[in-house]
Amino acid sequence: MNGFAAAAAAETSGNFQRARELYLQLLQTEPRNAAALHRLGVVELRLGRSGEAVALFQKSLAIAKNLEVYLDFGVAMAGLCRWDAAATVYAAALRVAPESVDARYGLALALHSQGRPQDAEPHYRRVLATHAHLGEVHNNLGVALFSLGRTAEAAEAHREAVRLDHGDSTAWGKLGVALHGLGQVGEAEAAIREAAGLAPQIVENWYNLACLLDADGRSEAAVAAGRIAVALDPAGPANWLALGNAAQAADRRQEAWRAAAAAVRLTPSDPAARNNLANALRSLGRLWDAVAEYRAALALQPDFPVAEVNLALALSILCQPEDALTVLRGLIARQPLSSDAWLRMGRVLVEAVRPDLAVAALRTAVAIAPGDPEPHADLAMASTMCDRSAQSAEACRRVLRLAPDHTAALGQLIHQQRALCDWRDLDRLEALLLQRVRDGADGVSPFELLSCDSTLADQQAAASRWAAAKSRDAIPAVRPAVSSVDRCLRVGYLSSDFREHAMGHLMVDALETHDRSRFAITAYSTGMDDGSALRRRFERSMERFVDLRRHSDADAAAAIAADGIDILIDLTGFTTFSRTAILAARPAPVQVNWLGYPGTLGASFVDYILADPAVILPGEEMFFSERVVRLPDCYQPNDRRRAIADATPSRADCGLPEDGFVFCCFNSSYKLTPALFDGWARILTAVPGSVLWLYAGNPQVAANLRREGEARGLDPRRLVFAPPLPHAEHLARHRLADLFLDTLPYNAHTTASDALWAGLPVLTRRGTAFAGRVAASLLLAVGLPELIVDGRDDYEVEAVMLARSPDRLRALREKLARNRPTCPLFDTPRFTRNLETAYRAMWDIHRSGSAPRHIAIAADGTAGPVETN
């Protein structure tokens, strides 16, 4: 056996060290033996001596241009990741052997690895032209095509790869990614799961599966896949990011935070990881920590719009609107066409109660992204705050054209059309809204159901879903231990309406008359200071008046808890500027829904609702998430000091006829309905010369109602409209009316109290829900039950009879005048003593360790349990 043969035999047997010795011996005698130089280079490569191998290949090629040497030389360069050199070598090989498939494929791989997929593609295709059975080549062609954005072609290439080799897990995985890019989620998932089944140890498959499932909204399944990915490769930051994103979507907040924190530890200089960590911290209520992480992300990448918008959101939640606006202005200065930035700016301005500026910002967002429903929806809300109901309604219609299932926009459209008395298509819209509530849709504001023909069950369902959504991010407040020596019950009143507002007029006297020897009263204001005399009166009448408007929900709850409040009463409910998340944090051991919202809050974190026997009937407790506490007379307080201007305007001053019966209704326009107006038209027709005096702060309301009146055969002059006036003057003009006609399904509440206080009888029709029974409660408490009717026909007949019976109407006025000084409705000290009895009963139940239960306060001021079916 000659020297070369002996060396080759050793190489073939795997004895590379012996082969090396023999090739070296041969080359000492034959230094230009090209074959020996080539094989020694291969042996050196096998022994991990790449540098020596490269030198030997070069020497061999200098003697003879041999294809096999080029191919092994190319492998050596690829092994060193010197793709440019590998490409040069393979190109040289093709000059020697243009038909070499190996050289062609090697060149394709080298070009692809250099980031030149467009140059690699034709070489892959040349290989496949003669060797179409090579699944690996199809797979690599697919990878190149995918990176070139030719996703459909990539998917076909990967399909061919798995057809040729069904067990190729890599090809299955790449096929899944391509199909996901095409939006074929089901097929993509099947392909990725096939890859994971064939190669469960490959982390890429689980990472891709986690991303696909998360994008498809299946967050729990995505979390499971993400956990496998991080278990297989805990050092891979992308796996932690995928797990964190899935956990965040699944509302697994602690796990999302841990995953995001792990990603940041692994790649502290990655701004995207910092942004994700900040998002996780924000969802945990750690807002200042979130702000720090957003700022860290922006320090790493100053031009990072997503982080800037998120930072503005966190600052807004922290009630730092100016800081949030500064961030957004900087972003908009660089990217004036960022719809996300303009949208967030609009939201910040809405939360800061600067609606005019919010409208301007949101109009810009709409102009930039006219096909996105969210800017239109926010524009609708901001327009409402500016009393631009027509603009709000049009924005809602645009939302519904873009997103027909947008239930919140549907509800708001209905409310704005009601506010405008624009009743076109209203019956159909309301029926659609109620059906969505009954189908379990989210996003329906419970307040918007009160004016619809909704049931107590409808209202409870909508309230429960609304409360759950509003309280989702609430962080439990830490309460101090209750002092055993402090016998004074600490009561907190939470409201956005300690100002010139209907609730303010009702509440102020009751708060002033609390027994300060037994109750310590704190007002927690979350609304604006309007500078009114009523606001100053609230501030003077409380032991403590705490302005929480600039506090975040979490900080506000923490402040209330730190004060050791025993019973917290929410006076806002689901009306404008409500802060449900404060209640959700449970800052007080006993929490009560009262006065601001006539219905259940549907929340597990509210224990009681204050009512009376007229507004919540026996047996209806099941429709209230709270336990019902019935006060003996009326659930509504009143202000005995409510001023009525001395001067009464003339009928001519108010546009009323000197003669003729004046029916009036000063309710908000959204409480008027087409069916109600039908009845009013029949009443006016039956009482010649009569007029209907209505409140209309918006000129469009008057125009619409005149049109509706004409459609019912009424002379438009029989509708007279009252403009806004200061409260004392508004009360004084009630003296010009003869009878107040109430609305249904949403009664007059404060408006009815105003009328009765001013001496004007109110005719009401009793409804089927809390909001439709308030006027009946008021009339019972003022001693005028004869003005309560149950049916539509009875209501219309009674209105006509009273208009035709001046003596009877005069007797009612005289009875109201006699009752007013002593009746329960306006006996605020009596009301407050009953209220305090209710608070004591609630507290005694809590202190005993018992669960909240229904309570009835008797006329003698004692409290007792209520038996329910």
Side-chain angles (χ1 to χ4, degrees):
M1 181 181 293
N2 62 31
F4 187 89
E11 180 186 350
T12 301
S13 67
N15 190 346
F16 298 121
Q17 192 61 45
R18 178 60 180 161
R20 180 175 182 272
E21 293 171 1
L22 294 171
Y23 282 130
L24 285 171
Q25 290 175 11
L26 176 62
L27 288 168
Q28 285 178 353
T29 59
E30 299 179 38
R32 290 184 59 77
N33 187 325
L37 289 166
H38 171 212
R39 297 317 305 170
L40 178 57
V42 172
V43 168
E44 296 284 21
L45 202 59
R46 295 292 186 90
L47 291 171
R49 299 157 62 96
S50 301
E52 289 81 350
V54 167
L56 289 163
F57 292 145
Q58 288 173 331
K59 287 180 181 180
S60 177
L61 289 169
I63 297 167
K65 308 300 185 189
N66 183 286
L67 174 63
E68 294 303 321
V69 180
Y70 276 117
L71 294 178
D72 287 333
F73 191 4
V75 169
M77 292 293 97
L80 293 170
C81 295
R82 296 208 22 216
W83 299 109
D84 53 344
T88 300
V89 170
Y90 285 125
L94 284 172
R95 287 193 292 273
V96 171
E99 300 306 317
S100 170
V101 172
D102 290 333
R104 182 76 60 187
Y105 188 39
L107 177 57
L109 290 174
L111 292 168
H112 197 172
S113 298
Q114 287 183 71
R116 296 165 60 186
Q118 70 279 8
D119 295 328
E121 179 195 355
H123 295 290
Y124 284 135
R125 293 194 183 278
R126 285 281 298 274
V127 172
L128 291 172
T130 56
H131 291 70
H133 62 285
L134 295 177
E136 177 187 328
V137 183
H138 285 285
N139 192 50
N140 284 325
L141 173 61
V143 173
L145 292 168
F146 187 84
S147 65
L148 291 169
R150 292 155 62 183
T151 309
E153 294 176 73
E156 286 309 308
H158 293 310
R159 282 189 196 279
E160 184 62 14
V162 298
R163 186 188 69 79
L164 291 166
D165 183 0
H166 195 275
D168 186 346
S169 66
T170 300
W172 278 111
K174 299 298 184 185
L175 174 60
V177 171
L179 290 170
H180 191 206
L182 292 171
Q184 299 174 25
V185 177
E187 290 184 71
E189 181 183 352
I192 295 173
R193 288 194 183 279
E194 184 74 23
L198 290 166
Q201 77 284 3
I202 301 300
V203 67
E204 183 181 0
N205 295 326
W206 298 105
Y207 169 81
N208 287 334
L209 183 59
C211 293
L212 179 147
L213 293 167
D214 185 33
D216 196 42
R218 288 178 283 166
S219 50
E220 288 293 348
V223 167
R227 287 171 180 164
I228 296 173
V230 299
L232 289 169
D233 181 17
N239 302 323
W240 287 107
L241 285 173
L243 175 59
N245 289 337
Q248 187 82 356
D251 204 27
R252 294 179 173 271
R253 302 181 189 186
Q254 288 291 337
E255 185 170 8
W257 166 62
R258 288 192 295 270
V264 168
R265 284 195 299 273
L266 291 166
T267 54
S269 61
D270 182 359
R274 294 275 184 182
N275 180 68
N276 281 14
L277 176 57
N279 289 340
L281 290 165
R282 191 184 77 218
S283 71
L284 287 171
R286 295 170 56 183
L287 292 167
W288 286 114
D289 291 338
V291 166
E293 288 297 334
Y294 287 131
R295 293 199 186 281
L298 290 168
L300 293 165
Q301 182 180 324
D303 188 8
F304 192 176
V306 170
E308 290 169 278
V309 171
N310 285 338
L311 173 58
L313 170 60
L315 290 168
S316 179
I317 296 170
L318 284 164
C319 295
Q320 306 290 320
E322 292 306 321
D323 289 345
L325 291 171
T326 297
V327 171
L328 293 169
R329 289 185 187 114
L331 172 56
I332 289 169
R334 296 194 323 274
Q335 297 192 18
L337 297 182
S338 170
S339 62
D340 287 342
W342 285 108
L343 177 61
R344 176 54 55 195
M345 178 174 279
R347 289 174 175 174
V348 171
L349 290 165
V350 164
E351 290 158 6
V353 197
R354 294 159 72 178
D356 286 339
L357 293 176
V359 165
L362 292 166
R363 280 178 170 165
T364 303
V366 163
I368 295 169
D372 182 353
E374 290 311 306
H376 293 284
D378 281 50
L379 177 59
M381 179 60 68
S383 299
T384 299
M385 293 175 66
C386 294
D387 292 324
R388 301 178 190 175
S389 292
Q391 179 175 293
S392 178
E394 181 53 33
C396 289
R397 292 187 187 100
R398 289 176 182 170
V399 173
L400 292 170
R401 284 196 290 271
L402 294 166
D405 293 333
H406 201 298
T407 304
L410 175 62
Q412 190 168 348
L413 173 60
I414 291 169
H415 188 73
Q416 294 311 313
Q417 286 198 200
R418 281 193 172 281
L420 291 166
C421 293
D422 178 0
W423 298 331
R424 294 170 295 178
D425 204 27
L426 194 60
D427 289 343
R428 183 189 67 82
L429 293 172
E430 287 188 0
L432 179 58
L433 182 67
L434 287 171
Q435 188 57 54
R436 289 189 181 175
V437 171
R438 292 161 189 170
D439 290 342
D442 292 327
V444 179
S445 169
F447 183 79
E448 288 159 3
L449 287 187
L450 301 183
S451 299
C452 298
D453 190 18
S454 58
T455 66
L456 287 171
D458 295 331
Q459 294 173 19
Q460 184 185 42
S464 296
R465 290 191 284 270
W466 190 262
K470 293 295 182 183
S471 61
R472 180 177 178 272
D473 296 327
I475 306 300
V478 178
R479 300 194 298 259
V482 177
S483 171
S484 59
V485 297
D486 183 5
R487 308 312 300 167
C488 197
L489 198 62
R490 285 162 288 188
V491 177
Y493 289 96
L494 176 68
S495 178
S496 63
D497 299 321
F498 292 119
R499 55 190 171 92
E500 190 65 35
H501 185 275
M503 191 287 300
H505 284 289
L506 294 177
M507 273 300 302
V508 65
D509 195 6
L511 295 185
E512 289 171 337
T513 54
H514 266 304
D515 183 348
R516 297 305 198 262
S517 67
R518 298 191 304 132
F519 296 86
I521 307 300
T522 302
Y524 294 102
S525 174
T526 59
M528 67 183 72
D529 180 352
D530 61 356
S532 65
L534 188 57
R535 171 73 171 210
R536 302 286 85 84
R537 186 176 164 191
F538 272 116
E539 293 173 344
R540 290 192 305 269
S541 63
M542 305 294 105
E543 284 93 342
R544 296 178 66 241
F545 188 97
V546 181
D547 190 344
L548 297 178
R549 183 183 171 196
R550 297 298 184 190
H551 286 56
S552 69
D553 292 335
D555 289 344
I560 296 169
D563 287 343
I565 293 297
D566 300 316
I567 301 178
L568 181 65
I569 298 93
D570 177 46
L571 298 172
T572 307
F574 293 140
T575 58
T576 307
F577 306 122
S578 64
R579 301 279 294 273
T580 307
I582 296 176
L583 293 172
R586 266 290 183 181
V590 177
Q591 300 192 155
V592 183
N593 167 23
W594 180 38
L595 194 61
Y597 180 75
T600 183
L601 296 185
S604 61
F605 46 81
V606 180
D607 305 294
Y608 295 100
I609 181 171
L610 282 170
D612 61 50
V615 293
I616 300 180
L617 303 182
E620 292 180 341
E621 292 85 359
M622 70 181 72
F623 298 112
F624 292 80
S625 301
E626 309 89 342
R627 301 287 81 75
V628 177
V629 180
R630 292 183 176 89
L631 300 177
D633 304 308
C634 178
Y635 86 104
Q636 188 188 93
N638 273 280
D639 178 14
R640 297 164 297 163
R641 299 177 179 84
R642 202 169 353 181
I644 304 177
D646 292 331
T648 302
S650 68
R651 281 195 167 193
D653 291 335
C654 296
L656 298 169
E658 289 301 326
D659 298 315
F661 196 89
V662 177
F663 295 102
C664 95
C665 179
F666 291 148
N667 278 359
S668 296
S669 55
Y670 68 82
K671 295 185 180 182
L672 278 57
T673 71
L676 179 74
F677 206 69
D678 289 341
W680 285 351
R682 289 190 289 268
I683 291 168
L684 290 174
T685 300
V687 182
S690 63
V691 296
L692 178 59
W693 195 14
L694 301 168
Y695 177 79
N698 185 330
Q700 197 165 345
V701 170
N704 286 338
L705 287 176
R706 287 192 177 101
R707 187 188 67 246
E708 292 290 342
E710 287 185 285
R712 291 162 175 80
L714 285 179
D715 183 338
R717 289 174 296 181
R718 298 187 70 182
L719 300 177
V720 182
F721 295 94
L725 284 179
H727 194 248
E729 296 173 36
H730 170 64
L731 291 178
R733 65 182 170 187
H734 282 74
R735 298 174 182 135
L736 302 177
D738 297 300
L739 180 66
F740 188 106
L741 295 177
D742 195 16
T743 52
L744 199 73
Y746 200 145
N747 278 176
H749 294 187
T750 307
T751 318
S753 284
D754 284 344
L756 294 170
W757 179 249
L760 177 62
V762 175
L763 175 65
T764 191
R765 178 181 163 200
R766 192 172 1 228
T768 58
F770 192 137
R773 297 171 178 163
V774 171
S777 172
L778 300 175
L779 288 166
L780 290 169
V782 85
L784 292 174
E786 56 268 49
L787 287 174
I788 305 168
V789 298
D790 289 309
R792 184 198 72 180
D793 292 343
D794 291 340
Y795 174 82
E796 294 175 22
V797 167
E798 186 67 11
V800 173
M801 289 180 62
L802 286 169
R804 293 174 177 175
S805 307
D807 293 341
R808 183 172 167 228
L809 188 58
R810 186 180 309 109
L812 287 169
R813 279 183 173 275
E814 291 170 355
K815 182 178 181 182
L816 175 57
R818 289 193 305 273
N819 291 354
R820 198 184 82 158
T822 59
C823 68
L825 183 61
F826 299 122
D827 187 346
T828 308
R830 168 185 172 133
F831 176 90
T832 307
R833 297 294 83 78
N834 288 329
L835 181 66
E836 291 170 346
T837 300
Y839 290 163
R840 275 291 172 192
M842 297 175 198
W843 188 245
D844 289 344
I845 291 169
H846 169 73
R847 291 293 296 270
S848 73
S850 300
R853 60 176 179 264
H854 304 297
I855 302 168
I857 308 301
D860 62 3
T862 59
V866 173
E867 297 296 329
T868 60
N869 296 329

